Each structure stands twice: as structure tokens, then as C-alpha cells.
Amino acid sequence: MMGLPWRAGPFCVASALLLLPNAASLSRTSVVVVGGGGASRPATTTGVAAPRYPEIGLRRTGRRRGRRRRSAPSPRAATAAADDDDHDDRDHDQYDDGVELTNAEISRYSRHLVLGDVGVAGQRALKKSSVLVIGAGGLGSSCLLYLAAAGVGHIGIVDADSVDESNLQRQIIHGTSTIGTSKCESARRRMIDVNPHVDVRVYEEEFTSETAMRILGDGFSASTPRYDVVVDGSDNFPTKYLINDACDILGLPWVYSAVLAFEGQVSTFNHDGGPNYRDLLPAPPPPGDVPSCAEGGVLGVLPGTMGCLQATEVIKIVLGMGGGLLSGRCLTYDATTMKFGEIGIARSPNRKRAVELIDYQGFCAGPKVAQQRGTANAAAARVEDGADDAPAGGRTMDEVPSSDEGLLVGSDDFNSIGPTDCLDKLAGGWSPWVLDVRMRSENDIVALPFTDAVVPHREVRRDHIPKDGEVLIYCKGGVRGKKACSRLVGLGVDPRRLYNLEGGILRWQKEIDPQMPRY
């Protein structure tokens, strides 16, 4: 425990006393040592039974004083009794809003109840609170489990995806038995198993500009008409900006996180007039500049770590512990070095409060694409050549084009070819240069056996392909192949030479070679 900012508790003090000579003679110390579970149990001031271990000779003669004050409690954590320097002196019986803890809940939450900064009043506040988690994936998994375990009474989950085997490396709320099940339902079952005292509402739909205000505005139920906190478990910029603006309009705090490879970050936005996501990132990065987790990978335990931090922030918000929140700070974490850092965030004086939701796909795609969106075919929002080409779990993040795919380059600028037609041409003597535009690590998993070169789509240059002849370009699901073709056309390559493999290697595996592994 070297270097940890722990407050000295009864266990720590008693342990130190046991190291001293004649410790048993210190009979007037105000500590009782109780083993079990790694935590100490405060004794009452009267009626203290004889110690279980008489040789220790310790008695409690008075309450420990001088604990730090909590910040002003939130409405959910408010009690009729005023805080003073000793939280043990608070009259929790004064807390009266119709929320009571059953005997079973008292037993379940006992480690919370003995914490001065939680106690009975805080646990009642948790039971009454309602939290909406957008995304039941890597971040949402650990966050949802710990919110349920902590006794947050009303939890909403938004996710339109279903469980895929590739999710299980990091999305620990799901299991092998729930593959193919909707993530909302899979998460709900696991949460109820963890804590049957919580209520879970599921929204098996996308969180979009069309659905956001309804989902947030309706609240958890008629009796709980407003969510207290929103948690961001999304994996893309449009959704994060949407969450930010919707919460800004409704005045809701939300807890943000993002992960990639070995790094993550977390912050609390829109809390008591504090900074929001647009103060951290006023404009999204250019499309394609930041790889997704499906493309760049993510250490399985990383979203679990960040999701736990998000759950911690949510609990602190509900308990009214505002002084230590990550509002105005973005906590960064590097798993390779096991180091945390901070980035300060200040509210921009020029930022105006959001008054309406916008087209976030267009906003994050850039002005040129946003201008062309009116002429886009709605089918472009589906996976290459239709949803049937998607993996069993639905989305694969980088392999699902937004409604802006196809706007970056006109459909006549280069050729597209399906796996069956491609195989027929190859059998007929076609001999193109074959370029894999995935990451090298993906090529190591599975590749077309006649691949000539591997170059990530962001790095493709003219000198990566022959000066003459046709080129077949493929990726995982067809999206990065399109972007690579677009890049080469922009660099002056004749688009008639380029062929993008529709659906990528996933569709090739489905239609041509089922023995290939899927990832």
C-alpha cells in the first residue's frame, strides 16, 4: 500500500499498535480490531462486548473525530439531518422520501453502510437513483455490473447490437451462452443475477438524434421520470457528441470514456455547470484519422478498468461527493506503463448551450460530406452489400459504413467486385496485383493466399502498387478497401485499374471458403 492516498482507518491504526511493545497495555485506545473481508467494523459507543481476542486488550472509548466533510449532497443524497464533523452522528432516521432498505438489502450492502461517506442515507440515495448506460459493450460491461452490485435502483441500457463471440474477450457481462442474444437482454439477465433488487429497463435500439430525446426525456419510468446520470459506453465520435448535446439540453451530468489499444481516458461532463465534451474536443478529428477498436485493437482488460472508473464517478455523483469528481479534469491511463495522468479542461467562454440536436454523422464526417448527404442512398448505412454480410454479432465498428460511406468517392470512380465474380475472373486467367489494406496483425490472422502486399489503408501510396495493370484491394469488410481506393484515386491512380472486394475477407469466407477463421 506504499504511496496510496489512504486515510488511516481503525484496521491500519490497530495493526500499527500490534507492532509496538506492550501494545496490550494501551487499553484506552478508540479502536476495535475485527477480522474478515479486509475491512474493519466500527463499534458502537455503548454496550461494547468483550473483545474476541482478550490478549489484544483493545477497547473503544469514543468515536473517531475529524473526518473530512462531504461536498453538498445531490438531491438524491439529501437528508433532513445536517452534516457535521462526525458522520456517525447523522440522524439517518430523518431521511424520509419513501425509500427504505429491506433486511436483505442491509445485509447485501453492509460494506457500504459502515462507510461514513455512504451509510444508510447514501445507500437509500443509490436505491432511488436512476442511471442510463449507452452501450453494453466493453465499457458498459464492467460499469453495469458494478452499478448493479452497488445497488443503483434503476438502470437503463441502450444497445441495438447482439452478442458475438469476438465480444467476449473484453465484454465480461456477456458469456458464451448468450452469443446471438441481444446485448441488452444478455446484460439484463447478468445484472439481475448479480443483484435481484435492481430494476433494469432495456432499449434495444440505436441512440440517435431521432431517439435520444425520447429515451432521455421519458426517464426510467412514470415514477422515475428523469435519469440522474448518463454513462457513455459508445465507441464512436458521433454518439459521444450526441450524448453531450442531449445532456446539455436536459441539464444532465454524464460520464465519458474512450479506449484504444493500451490507453484510455475518463471524465465527467456537464456537472453543475462544468465543462463538457466540446470543451475537450471542440471539433471531431478528420474521418479515418483515429482507428476504431476493431481496427487498432484493444487490450481486453482496459475497457473493464475504465468502466469501473466510470461506475465510481456515477456513485460519487449520486452520493453528492462533487469535490473529487473528474469534472474539469480528464484522467488518462496507459496500461503499458501503469501510469495515470490528467488533462485540465476549462469551459470555453464562447461555447453556447446546445438547444437542438444536429446531424452528428455529417458533423463528424466533415463539411464536404455533410453537404452531399441529401443525395446519399439510405442503403449505404448498411454493411457492404447488405446486413447479411455482417458477422453474427452485427456491427464490427470499423467495418460498418456510416451513411456517409460512398460520398467520399463516387461509385463510378473505381470498380467493385463480389467474391464469386472475383473467383470466376481469377479462374479465367485474371492476374491482378492483390493488396491487403488491413493492419499487419490482421493479415497474420487470416489472408487471401494470393496476397502480394500488406499496407494499412491510411498509409497507401502510389509506389505501393505497380505502375501498370489492375489492382485488387481488400480489407475485413469492404470499408477500408473503399477508402484505400479513394486515396489512390486522389493520388492520381487511374480508377479503372482499381477493384475493391465487396464485403472484404468476411464475405469471401462466407461465400467462398467457410474454413477460413472469422475475427
Side-chain angles (χ1 to χ4, degrees):
M1 297 190 293
M2 291 294 290
L4 292 177
W6 291 44
R7 289 183 293 169
F11 183 82
C12 302
V13 175
S15 298
L17 291 174
L18 291 175
L19 298 177
L20 299 175
N22 302 319
S25 66
L26 301 177
S27 61
R28 295 188 60 80
T29 182
S30 59
V31 176
V32 171
V33 177
V34 182
S40 59
R41 301 190 182 103
T44 57
T45 56
T46 60
V48 179
R52 183 176 178 184
Y53 304 104
E55 65 275 14
I56 297 178
L58 301 181
R59 299 288 191 277
R60 181 182 175 98
T61 59
R63 291 194 178 102
R64 182 160 54 95
R65 299 280 178 173
R67 297 185 185 179
R68 64 178 177 83
R69 289 178 180 270
R70 297 195 304 173
S71 60
S74 68
R76 296 290 188 189
T79 67
D83 286 340
D84 59 19
D85 285 337
D86 187 349
H87 293 304
D88 289 337
D89 289 335
R90 289 179 300 176
D91 185 359
H92 294 311
D93 294 335
Q94 296 293 322
Y95 186 87
D96 184 14
D97 63 354
V99 176
E100 298 292 341
L101 299 179
T102 66
N103 287 346
E105 289 173 317
I106 290 173
S107 177
R108 177 180 289 267
Y109 307 131
S110 62
R111 300 305 186 273
H112 271 178
L113 301 180
V114 299
L115 282 174
D117 288 322
V118 181
V120 174
Q123 194 61 52
R124 288 174 176 173
L126 288 169
K127 181 176 180 177
K128 187 177 181 180
S129 66
S130 58
V131 177
L132 181 70
V133 179
I134 300 172
L139 293 168
S141 286
S142 58
C143 184
L144 285 166
L145 286 172
Y146 273 103
L147 291 179
V152 172
H154 310 87
I155 304 174
I157 311 171
V158 183
D159 202 307
D161 205 358
S162 56
V163 180
D164 180 64
E165 189 174 19
S166 64
N167 301 148
L168 304 183
Q169 166 253 10
R170 63 201 176 280
Q171 300 179 18
I172 59 171
I173 202 168
H174 311 299
T176 303
S177 64
T178 61
I179 291 176
T181 306
S182 75
K183 286 187 176 180
C184 280
E185 178 58 22
S186 172
R188 187 195 67 81
R189 293 177 193 171
R190 183 70 183 102
M191 292 163 66
I192 295 300
D193 184 49
V194 168
N195 188 353
H197 301 288
V198 302
D199 292 327
V200 181
R201 178 175 179 178
V202 299
Y203 303 84
E204 294 179 337
E205 56 185 308
E206 296 285 354
F207 192 77
T208 67
S209 297
E210 290 72 35
T211 64
M213 299 307 289
R214 169 177 54 81
I215 292 173
L216 288 172
D218 289 350
F220 184 86
S221 64
S223 60
T224 310
R226 177 184 173 90
Y227 282 105
D228 297 305
V229 190
V230 177
V231 177
D232 164 36
S234 67
D235 56 22
N236 60 83
F237 288 107
T239 303
K240 294 182 187 298
Y241 279 102
L242 170 58
I243 294 172
N244 180 82
D245 290 358
C247 289
D248 196 20
I249 292 172
L250 296 175
L252 298 176
W254 66 286
V255 183
Y256 149 86
S257 186
V259 295
L260 181 64
F262 291 85
E263 299 180 4
Q265 51 188 225
V266 62
S267 185
T268 294
F269 292 126
N270 204 43
H271 182 266
D272 286 345
N276 69 25
Y277 187 57
R278 290 184 180 271
D279 295 311
L280 174 67
L281 199 63
D289 271 17
V290 180
S292 69
C293 289
E295 178 187 346
V298 62
L299 182 68
V301 72
L302 179 64
T305 302
M306 308 313 292
C308 286
L309 292 175
Q310 286 182 290
T312 304
E313 286 290 282
V314 170
I315 292 170
K316 286 158 57 183
I317 291 172
V318 173
L319 295 177
M321 302 173 65
L325 291 174
L326 288 172
S327 179
R329 301 180 292 148
C330 182
L331 185 70
T332 63
Y333 172 58
D334 184 343
T336 59
T337 61
M338 277 299 195
K339 290 184 178 179
F340 285 90
E342 280 191 8
I343 301 172
I345 310 172
R347 175 164 182 161
S348 171
N350 299 322
R351 176 175 61 79
K352 296 181 180 180
R353 183 170 181 173
V355 294
E356 63 180 356
L357 302 182
I358 62 173
D359 175 7
Y360 294 92
Q361 292 288 348
F363 172 67
C364 293
K368 180 178 179 181
V369 174
Q371 185 177 7
Q372 296 175 327
R373 283 179 59 83
T375 61
N377 188 334
R382 303 180 55 153
V383 177
E384 190 79 34
D385 281 338
D388 289 342
D389 291 326
R395 298 172 298 167
T396 57
M397 292 182 283
D398 66 319
E399 299 308 325
V400 178
S402 71
S403 52
D404 304 313
E405 294 295 344
L407 296 178
L408 299 175
V409 178
S411 59
D412 295 331
D413 288 334
F414 55 83
N415 303 289
S416 292
I417 186 169
T420 302
D421 291 339
C422 179
L423 184 61
D424 289 342
K425 282 177 66 71
L426 292 170
W430 188 42
S431 183
W433 176 267
V434 181
L435 178 63
D436 181 356
V437 293
R438 299 173 299 158
M439 305 290 286
R440 170 62 70 175
S441 56
E442 294 177 88
N443 180 268
D444 291 341
I445 299 171
V446 60
L448 296 180
F450 41 84
T451 302
D452 293 302
V454 181
V455 182
H457 74 282
R458 292 183 179 84
E459 303 172 12
V460 170
R461 302 190 307 269
R462 291 188 64 172
D463 58 1
H464 287 138
I465 63 174
K467 293 182 180 180
D468 301 303
E470 294 177 325
V471 180
L472 174 64
I473 295 176
Y474 77 94
C475 62
K476 181 179 180 181
V479 177
R480 282 177 277 175
K482 279 186 176 181
K483 294 178 179 179
C485 289
S486 172
R487 181 179 175 88
L488 289 171
V489 170
L491 294 173
V493 176
D494 184 351
R496 294 172 296 180
R497 297 177 53 202
L498 304 178
Y499 288 78
N500 178 53
L501 182 64
E502 296 174 355
I505 200 166
L506 289 178
R507 186 172 166 189
W508 184 279
Q509 184 270 347
K510 180 180 180 181
E511 297 182 3
I512 306 300
D513 188 359
Q515 299 304 313
M516 277 184 163
R518 293 175 71 88
Y519 70 101

